[in-house]
DNA sequence: CTGAAAGCGCTTACAG
DNA sequence: CTGAAAGCGCTTACAG
């Protein structure tokens, strides 16, 4: 039904080899033949089967992407950038949304293997030993984007989470805040969990403040948990004057909780987020945030992966650290 | 390097045919052989090449998805549901983010063709004649999700936009509003553009109100345009007491604009949105919205498409209309 | 510059 | 129940 190379060859009165050659833009095809082949292709509406090509070329131009949550603005923005860069380089994306489901992840990694993807991008760091070793056996380039797994065999594209969290906390200290609460991530996460927590602590200590455990909570990066953790923080006495949440989503949750309790941001409590997602501009007051270069992150992730795939001698061999940047909006106030 | 069926056969001391049979779960394989094959598969870490399989089976289990904007909460939520349903049915998603770029869309449709996807899902209605006829020639099931193109050859999964817009406007009228502004979508769009506009107009007329052109603006569904259109509406005298925006994004833009001009939602102006995206719960005040069943929409889109793919006799032959539902939150006030 | 033939890694009649 | 062989739709040495 759908035309194949043989049909084109017959119609043009040449061999399939010749058709293949004009398809692949090889020289050494007489103009006359090329013209005939092109006309036949046109008339038949022929497009070569990527499937068949992949089989013989041993290259699929497919990249498997594992996203923890597609509905999160942060991830969907990175994904958007990944898609853009991949598309420009003639790669296509097989997208998997795992929603914290480790079994689904494993299933998908198997699919990626069966599909013989050329490379894999993973955007969460909660990989276990089983997945880690499966990934290694796969013999396919793997890259982590925006997170760094504990297993140092893999390359990550990230910001310096420790520095970024340190700077965010420092910013609040410089505004004169003394009672700074912290809504962290999962401490099992190396980057967004541990590093950001340690950055917060060290900034406090370096400026002679002590760490108050009542002011410290851990969520799961989502709006809801920011809200819930803030609710707990509002029971503290005295109240914190500022909150640093390690994701914009949690920061927005915290802001909403504050406003639902008839308090004002930033007059009563200042809030600073982390990520630089679109939420920052969307909420009122707009959210000051320690931003990751989300767009570049996606772009560089793909470019680095393509380097690995093509076995480029200049390909990355270690983590790529991008610059974070504090963007001041209206959610923090000088004390 | 990566093991193939031949390697498994050799290791197990059987023919490739037999290996293929146990791979495909056929009966008529002696337990003894089955065991040997399975062990060989295990030891080699063998997984069949989906590429090779697709070639002979003439089925790729791939669905191409065209999303207008991945960073939009509405679309990413549908996509998430699409992915979930596809995955459960052993289908994989090739995702394309076209960002209003008709050339990119065409390029991707060609890729989908070359990839021999089993089906295509499209989430925007701005398809031109060229794309429309290409789609028809493709001989592959196509389904539109959340939108309906002008071209009636295609099946859509949608809500009744006219009714939904009518009901949303009716809701404001019932609250006692007389001066109801409207921020619409692109009038070239059949569903979200035209139908919602007509629904708004008819609701007004049916209750004896006249249509004030100053109160009507058209945006592009995004936050920014809601903001900009609202800015224009704020120049009206008298001010409208309520605004109906045909997407939650535009409604949030409108709310922000109102609050940036020192007015209050809903005390000064009520706002109602459309879609039921996560934004509704995220903003303050929370946004009343005419909701589409986003999750079901994604699920049913895939199920319908799979019906078409398997050439099920019960497969849909016309549009599928899902129920809309008004969810009242805190952005609208009784006058 | 052009074409016949082998091969990519599978599945599926067909024969036994 | 098992296997040899053809074929899926391409590309790529190889020979001319």
């Amino acid at each position: 039904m759908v035309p194949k190379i043989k049909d084109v060859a017959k119609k043009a009165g040449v061999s399939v080899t010749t058709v293949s050659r004009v398809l692949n833009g090889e020289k050494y095809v007489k103009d006359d033949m090329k013209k005939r082949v092109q006309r036949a292709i046109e008339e038949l509406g022929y497009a070569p089967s990527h499937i068949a090509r992949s089989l013989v070329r041993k290259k699929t131009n497919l990249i498997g992407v594992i996203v923890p949550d597609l509905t999160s603005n942060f991830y969907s923005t990175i994904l958007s950038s990944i898609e853009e860069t991949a598309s420009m380089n003639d790669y296509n994306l097989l997208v998997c949304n795992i929603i914290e489901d480790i079994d689904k992840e494993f299933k998908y990694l198997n699919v990626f293997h069966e599909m013989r993807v050329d490379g894999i991008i993973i955007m969460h760091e909660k990989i276990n030993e089983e997945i880690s070793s499966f990934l290694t056996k796969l013999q396919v380039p793997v890259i982590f984007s925006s997170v760094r797994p504990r297993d140092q065999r893999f390359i990550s594209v990230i910001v310096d989470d420790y520095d970024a969290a340190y700077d965010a906390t420092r910013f609040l200290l410089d505004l004169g805040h003394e009672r700074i609460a912290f809504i962290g991530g999962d401490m099992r996460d190396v980057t967004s969990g541990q590093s950001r927590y340690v950055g917060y602590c060290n900034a406090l200590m370096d400026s002679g403040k002590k760490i108050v455990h009542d002011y410290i909570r851990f969520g799961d990066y989502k709006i809801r948990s920011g809200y819930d953790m803030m609710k707990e923080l509002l029971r503290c006495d005295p109240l914190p004057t500022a909150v640093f949440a390690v994701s914009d989503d949690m920061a927005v949750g915290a802001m909403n909780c504050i406003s639902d309790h008839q308090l004002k941001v930033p007059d009563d409590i200042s809030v600073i987020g982390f990520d630089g997602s679109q939420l920052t501009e969307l909420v009122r007051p707009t959210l000051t945030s320690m931003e990751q270069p989300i767009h570049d992150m996606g772009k560089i992730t793909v470019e680095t992966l393509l380097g690995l795939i093509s076995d480029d001698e200049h390909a990355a061999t270690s983590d790529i650290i991008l610059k974070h940047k504090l963007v001041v909006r209206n959610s923090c106030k000088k004390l």
Side-chain angles (χ1 to χ4, degrees), chain A:
Chain A
M1 221 159 71
V2 21
K4 18 195 146 169
I5 197 170
K6 211 171 161 184
D7 303 319
V8 176
K10 199 172 295 171
K11 180 143 204 161
V14 301
S15 73
V16 297
T17 311
T18 299
V19 176
S20 175
R21 279 202 262 260
V22 348
L23 245 29
N24 293 291
E26 273 180 49
K27 28 208 164 187
Y28 309 131
V29 183
K30 261 191 187 154
D31 266 10
D32 163 51
M33 295 210 125
K34 193 185 281 182
K35 289 258 164 45
R36 264 157 55 204
V37 170
Q38 279 161 343
R39 189 175 324 124
I41 288 176
E42 186 78 15
E43 284 171 16
L44 291 169
Y46 170 77
S49 160
H50 189 86
I51 303 293
R53 278 186 158 174
S54 298
L55 188 60
V56 23
R57 289 181 178 166
K58 293 171 168 313
K59 185 153 186 334
T60 56
N61 278 48
L62 241 34
I63 294 175
V65 185
I66 290 187
V67 189
D69 179 13
L70 272 173
T71 69
S72 139
N73 187 265
F74 178 69
Y75 292 118
S76 64
T77 304
I78 297 195
L79 181 61
S80 175
S81 166
I82 286 176
E83 195 276 346
E84 184 185 347
T85 314
S87 168
M88 281 181 49
N89 290 281
D90 290 318
Y91 273 77
N92 294 107
L93 258 37
L94 229 41
V95 174
C96 160
N97 187 218
I98 53 158
I99 345 170
E100 321 267 298
D101 182 344
I102 210 87
D103 288 339
K104 191 169 176 196
E105 173 164 15
F106 207 67
K107 175 187 163 186
Y108 253 102
L109 287 176
N110 272 296
V111 170
F112 288 170
H113 176 39
E114 293 184 359
M115 289 281 200
R116 304 295 190 257
V117 298
D118 292 337
I120 295 176
I121 296 173
I122 300 181
M123 294 202 249
H124 75 106
E125 48 195 325
K126 292 188 187 59
I127 58 167
N128 56 28
E129 182 47 46
E130 187 187 16
I131 288 184
S132 187
S133 72
F134 181 82
L135 245 22
T136 310
K137 275 200 218 98
L138 232 47
Q139 304 277 32
V140 156
V142 176
I143 195 161
F144 284 76
S145 191
S146 82
V147 294
R148 180 173 40 177
R150 179 164 268 105
D151 193 323
Q152 287 297 333
R153 279 174 291 186
F154 305 108
I155 295 181
S156 296
V157 178
I158 39 169
V159 295
D160 186 319
D161 286 276
Y162 170 84
D163 277 1
Y166 189 99
D167 294 348
T169 311
R170 184 77 240 158
F171 170 73
L172 293 173
L173 288 164
D174 288 345
L175 287 179
H177 291 277
E178 307 250 329
R179 301 196 301 277
I180 301 175
F182 178 77
I183 302 180
D186 192 325
M187 281 297 275
R188 289 169 299 181
D189 296 348
V190 181
T191 56
S192 32
Q194 296 166 20
S195 303
R196 292 181 197 172
Y197 174 65
V198 177
Y200 159 79
C201 291
N202 284 4
L204 287 187
M205 294 197 301
D206 286 355
S207 80
K209 306 282 180 295
K210 61 177 158 232
I211 288 152
V212 180
H213 283 289
D214 262 9
Y215 285 165
I216 296 174
R217 289 291 183 284
F218 295 96
D220 65 1
Y221 307 107
K222 296 185 189 167
I223 296 179
R224 181 58 190 266
S225 78
Y227 194 99
D228 293 343
M229 294 305 115
M230 192 66 224
K231 206 167 186 172
E232 295 184 17
L233 290 171
L234 287 179
R235 294 202 203 99
C236 294
D237 183 20
L239 281 180
T241 62
V243 180
F244 169 30
V246 304
S247 78
D248 287 335
D249 281 15
M250 289 198 295
V252 168
M255 283 175 66
N256 284 343
C257 180
I258 292 169
S259 106
D260 288 355
H261 284 77
Q262 331 310 335
L263 292 171
K264 283 229 171 299
V265 175
D267 301 308
D268 299 306
I269 301 182
S270 291
V271 176
I272 184 170
F274 197 109
D275 282 346
S277 82
Q278 294 174 342
L279 290 191
T280 56
E281 299 279 357
L282 182 155
V283 292
R284 289 296 178 274
T286 53
L287 177 66
T288 292
S289 178
M290 180 52 74
E291 305 206 352
Q292 307 193 52
I294 306 188
H295 189 268
D296 284 354
M297 202 167 249
K299 182 162 177 278
I300 290 172
T301 297
V302 173
E303 288 171 350
T304 307
L305 183 63
L306 294 186
L308 258 27
I309 289 174
S310 63
D311 214 11
D312 190 332
E313 51 181 309
H314 305 297
T317 53
S318 61
D319 290 351
I320 295 177
I321 313 293
L322 304 181
K323 284 253 171 303
H324 56 275
K325 181 173 140 202
L326 180 72
V327 177
V328 177
R329 297 194 183 81
N330 302 319
S331 62
C332 294
K333 188 185 137 186
K334 193 157 189 158
L335 264 208

